Amino acid sequence: MNIQKTAAEETLGFMLPTRRVESFHYTDLRAMLRDLPAEASADGGDNGYTPLVDTHLVSFNDGKLSGEQVLPSGVIMTADAAKANSVDINDAIVAMNAVSAGDAVEFVISGDATKDKPLGLGHVSTQAARSGTYHKVTVKAGSEGHVIERHTSSGGVASLSTTVSELVLEEGAKAVWYIIQQENEAASRLARLNVTLEQDADLSIFVLNAGGKLVRQEIKVAVNGENANLAIRGVNLVGDNAHIDVTTVLEHNVPHTNAEELFRNVVAGDGHGIFQGQIKVAQPAQKTDAQMACNTLLLTDEGDFSAKPELEIFADDVICAHGATVTDIDDEHMFYLKARGIDEKTARALLIKAFVDEVVEEMEAGEVMEEALTGIIDSWLDENV
Amino acid sequence: MLEIKNLHVRIAEEETEILKGVNLTVAAGEVAAIMGPNGSGKSTLSYVLAGKDDYEVTEGDILFNGESILEMEPDERAASGVFLAFQYPMEIPGVPTMNFLKAAMNAQRKARDEAEYTTPEFIKTVKAAAGELNIDFNMLKRALNVGFSGGEKKRAEILQMQLLEPKLCVLDETDSGLDIDALKIVSDGVNRLRDPERAFLVITHYQRLLEHIVPDSVHVLYQGRIIESGDKSLALHLEENGYADVIARAA
């Protein structure tokens, strides 16, 4: 193995994982990030970020806090928190984030101040440069937190943005967290969401990947409190030339917890999609109920999707199930729609949309958010299918 | 309206020939029944008419209003007025029935250069038609055919037929899986659509359906050929005697 650091690694000060590192087998960062963009220059001006829906907005321009923040009394923000760091090769994204310029912001949510109007973390990359933002959100005991984390970039800009988010749900807290990625087709994005769930916590995560050139979204959840409940749902729309990797690690550490994971993916052109789903059930975590499903529609012969479920179970009284499917559009469904006069293109769009909209519906996001999400999906389908 | 001439069909990429020279003419306003034992090619005939690409026409032609439809895609055939009521309607998860109906109705109107329905017009039309077929309007908000009972699926097929106003209606064993009440509702729905400008090809195993939808002609399909044609009394004869003597006569 070549142990000489690449120019990119000299800049970063650490080695990027190759495909020999199991968790990066399908996303060889060392090969893919040979040309590392320089750090973004300080700007922090108003970036004109347009929110998807009405939120208590905190926006970031190339990693720097931008504009003013007007937050309700139930949300306390601290602007210069410390970023996390790690020397574990599996945490390469965390390390990359630590050495990329960008703000670290901490929020503490109490009560239900974000219930009707969520906290919005809106990011724009405007430079072909590297940035790193860090968020920490704590939802206090018995409180409810709603967060929309969204990432966009100016047209054609080959940015490399990284984000590390930490989410802590205290006892009996409830949260809904959206990660909406709409980078342009030249932009790359590396992200990690670290979650800790305490007793009776209830978290629903929704991931929508609808853009980007190289994207890796990691979600790592430590289920540390009994009766905690977790749902992770997602839609990955993998366009031509895109490489989108979603890697999740769920650690069930205590008895009586539930987790449900569902991803629906659409691969167009010669896109590469990856889902790695690891579920670890520790010996004391009896009565864990963990379900994982990953279904892919592969629209072309050139595209591919790799799904890797991994179960590590040390408790003996658990229910764990996983399933992965990769299919093309069902010919019988196509024939039925065409036999009713619906042309091929419309019929395809109807069937693809049905396949992913089901996951959106399950979120029960409310009319406004649901329309916003299906709107993103519809315009992606228009452009890519 | 429909002329099937010496139609030979095999399953694409297989040697087995299923239809071996079918000749059949159905005039506008006519209800023609096709009967025949299992495996005689009845469903194949219905799929070939609708344009399913699992089948290959090796010889002969299908003329609809004087023009060959063999080169037409299924959606073009539908827009020109061919409708197949499926024996096993597909369940399509995630596509609400109303969205599907709207897409189908508007696609056909668009193909015929007609103005698309507005949403209120569309809902009003569907509600009225659903009412006549005893279909709960809430059922139409669910995914297409998903979780519908056998009878509900067949009624939904007739609803689509009514809404799309085809010229040629092909009913593939629409009576299978129906109880007596559902059979009556479905038959009444079909009879309401009988029209001097519309033809029906009713494929069935049983005389029972033909008591409700009284045919003008009855044809026996056996081993890929029409071996006997007659009026409705032929169906009664088959009910009483089975296919044996008709097959013997043809041999």
Side-chain angles (χ1 to χ4, degrees):
Chain A
M1 186 178 164
N2 179 8
I3 53 156
Q4 198 177 352
K5 281 186 181 172
T6 63
E9 290 163 346
E10 289 291 350
T11 307
L12 292 170
F14 62 89
M15 303 281 273
L16 288 161
T18 67
R19 57 188 301 114
R20 292 173 195 228
V21 175
E22 200 187 340
S23 61
F24 284 88
H25 178 74
Y26 299 98
T27 301
D28 186 330
L29 285 187
R30 188 180 164 100
M32 297 173 107
L33 292 178
R34 214 158 271 283
D35 302 314
L36 193 72
E39 280 194 275
S41 61
D43 181 329
D46 183 4
N47 56 34
Y49 172 83
T50 318
L52 189 63
V53 295
D54 192 23
T55 56
H56 297 293
L57 181 64
V58 178
S59 77
F60 297 83
N61 197 7
D62 295 305
K64 308 290 197 308
L65 269 170
S66 149
E68 283 188 40
Q69 297 84 36
V70 183
L71 295 171
S73 60
V75 181
I76 294 166
M77 172 173 145
T78 310
D80 43 11
K83 282 186 183 179
N85 205 348
S86 172
V87 292
D88 184 336
I89 191 79
N90 294 298
D91 293 332
I93 290 175
V94 177
M96 170 93 83
N97 181 260
V99 297
S100 300
D103 282 326
V105 185
E106 194 170 338
F107 302 89
V108 177
I109 298 176
S110 31
D112 59 1
T114 57
K115 190 180 174 187
D116 296 322
K117 187 172 168 179
L119 172 64
L121 304 171
H123 298 253
V124 187
S125 294
T126 65
Q127 305 169 33
R130 178 163 52 87
S131 65
T133 46
Y134 176 85
H135 317 122
K136 179 169 183 185
V137 175
T138 303
V139 183
K140 299 299 285 180
S143 299
E144 191 165 334
H146 292 251
V147 179
I148 300 175
E149 177 191 341
R150 180 161 169 252
H151 300 273
T152 61
S153 43
S154 312
V157 170
S159 53
L160 170 58
S161 60
T162 65
T163 304
V164 172
S165 303
E166 313 263 358
L167 172 64
V168 176
L169 265 62
E170 293 186 353
E171 194 175 320
K174 183 178 185 302
V176 181
W177 186 293
Y178 289 91
I179 300 172
I180 299 170
Q181 184 275 112
Q182 295 173 271
E183 300 282 358
N184 75 63
E185 70 289 348
S188 294
R189 171 160 181 71
L190 304 173
R192 161 75 71 84
L193 172 63
N194 283 329
V195 179
T196 307
L197 299 182
E198 298 300 342
Q199 191 177 328
D200 298 319
D202 183 357
L203 173 64
S204 177
I205 297 172
F206 186 86
V207 179
L208 174 58
N209 277 306
K213 179 182 171 218
L214 160 62
V215 176
R216 172 144 161 144
Q217 174 70 57
E218 300 175 345
I219 298 173
K220 194 171 175 185
V221 183
V223 186
N224 290 345
E226 289 193 22
N227 298 316
N229 193 40
L230 169 69
I232 303 178
R233 299 185 181 89
V235 170
N236 296 308
L237 305 173
V238 187
D240 196 28
N241 292 319
H243 178 108
I244 294 184
D245 172 338
V246 171
T247 293
T248 67
V249 178
L250 311 188
E251 295 170 348
H252 292 266
N253 298 320
V254 295
H256 297 285
T257 65
N258 299 322
E260 188 193 332
E261 225 177 325
L262 170 64
F263 280 88
R264 290 270 168 99
N265 319 293
V266 178
V267 182
D270 69 353
H272 304 285
I274 295 111
F275 171 73
Q276 304 186 102
Q278 201 175 70
I279 299 176
K280 298 177 177 180
V281 181
Q283 198 280 325
Q286 302 295 349
K287 304 286 181 189
T288 293
D289 183 344
Q291 314 281 336
M292 178 163 64
C294 176
N295 313 116
T296 303
L297 260 187
L298 201 54
L299 299 178
T300 64
D301 292 337
E302 293 73 39
D304 58 57
F305 196 94
S306 307
K308 187 174 80 172
E310 278 178 279
L311 305 182
E312 280 181 23
I313 301 171
F314 295 100
D316 53 18
D317 185 12
V318 302
I319 302 170
C320 281
H322 67 83
T325 60
V326 178
T327 54
D328 191 359
I329 289 176
D330 189 317
D331 288 342
E332 300 289 329
H333 288 176
M334 266 312 271
F335 174 62
Y336 189 82
L337 296 183
K338 287 177 81 177
R340 294 300 178 250
I342 301 172
D343 66 87
E344 174 113 16
K345 187 174 162 37
T346 310
R348 272 175 81 85
L350 206 59
L351 292 172
I352 299 167
K353 198 172 143 49
F355 175 73
V356 291
D357 278 359
E358 276 191 318
V359 189
V360 177
E361 273 165 36
E362 279 192 18
M363 279 303 289
E364 296 178 352
E367 199 176 335
V368 175
M369 191 61 188
E370 190 167 317
E371 256 177 44
L373 294 172
T374 53
I376 296 171
I377 292 169
D378 288 353
S379 51
W380 188 89
L381 291 176
D382 266 354
E383 283 165 31
N384 290 276
V385 177
Chain B
M1 175 166 284
L2 174 69
E3 285 174 83
I4 301 174
K5 292 179 167 177
N6 189 31
L7 189 68
H8 288 256
V9 172
R10 63 180 183 193
I11 298 173
E13 292 157 21
E14 278 184 38
E15 290 302 309
T16 327
E17 196 170 54
I18 299 180
L19 298 183
K20 300 167 183 169
V22 171
N23 288 292
L24 178 69
T25 301
V26 185
E30 182 177 342
V31 174
I34 305 264
M35 302 184 76
N38 289 330
S40 58
K42 300 190 300 295
S43 284
T44 297
L45 179 61
S46 71
Y47 281 140
V48 171
L49 285 168
K52 197 164 200 255
D53 61 8
D54 300 1
Y55 300 96
E56 188 187 341
V57 174
T58 54
E59 208 183 323
D61 208 345
I62 301 172
L63 304 183
F64 179 53
N65 289 328
E67 288 183 35
S68 175
I69 59 169
L70 290 184
E71 295 302 316
M72 288 163 74
E73 285 289 306
D75 52 314
E76 296 171 316
R77 295 184 195 201
S80 76
V82 177
F83 182 93
L84 168 62
F86 283 68
Q87 183 180 1
Y88 303 110
M90 293 306 303
E91 295 189 4
I92 307 194
V95 177
T97 308
M98 287 298 275
N99 293 14
F100 158 76
L101 290 174
K102 196 170 183 190
M105 286 161 74
N106 280 336
Q108 294 209 13
R109 288 173 84 97
K110 206 171 133 193
R112 297 176 198 148
D113 284 326
E114 294 167 8
E116 294 189 3
Y117 273 112
T118 64
T119 301
E121 270 175 353
F122 163 73
I123 289 175
K124 199 176 154 207
T125 311
V126 174
K127 265 195 172 154
E132 288 175 11
L133 289 163
N134 246 357
I135 293 173
D136 178 2
F137 191 68
N138 285 321
M139 190 177 102
L140 303 179
K141 293 175 183 163
R142 292 175 14 210
L144 182 57
N145 290 324
V146 176
F148 290 17
S149 70
E152 286 171 335
K153 283 179 186 169
K154 295 299 174 75
R155 270 184 281 159
E157 292 289 291
I158 302 305
L159 173 70
Q160 292 171 38
M161 188 164 89
Q162 185 168 337
L163 292 170
L164 295 171
E165 302 176 324
K167 297 277 184 295
L168 172 66
C169 306
V170 181
L171 281 72
D172 188 7
E173 299 200 20
T174 293
D175 51 336
S176 69
L178 291 186
D179 61 32
I180 298 180
D181 293 337
L183 183 67
K184 178 96 173 58
I185 291 167
V186 164
S187 307
D188 288 349
V190 171
N191 286 330
R192 270 198 302 277
L193 292 176
R194 286 180 82 149
D195 185 289
E197 298 300 315
R198 187 173 280 141
F200 288 85
L201 198 60
V202 180
I203 295 170
T204 183
H205 268 294
Y206 302 106
Q207 146 69 14
R208 191 180 66 160
L209 177 68
L210 303 178
E211 284 170 11
H212 296 278
I213 305 172
V214 181
D216 299 301
S217 60
V218 175
H219 309 270
V220 178
L221 186 65
Y222 177 67
Q223 291 186 348
R225 282 189 200 90
I226 303 280
I227 56 165
E228 187 152 331
S229 297
D231 60 15
K232 62 182 178 186
S233 63
L234 176 56
L236 285 169
H237 176 85
L238 293 171
E239 183 79 5
E240 278 164 28
N241 305 295
Y243 289 104
D245 61 329
V246 174
I247 291 167
R249 271 206 294 273

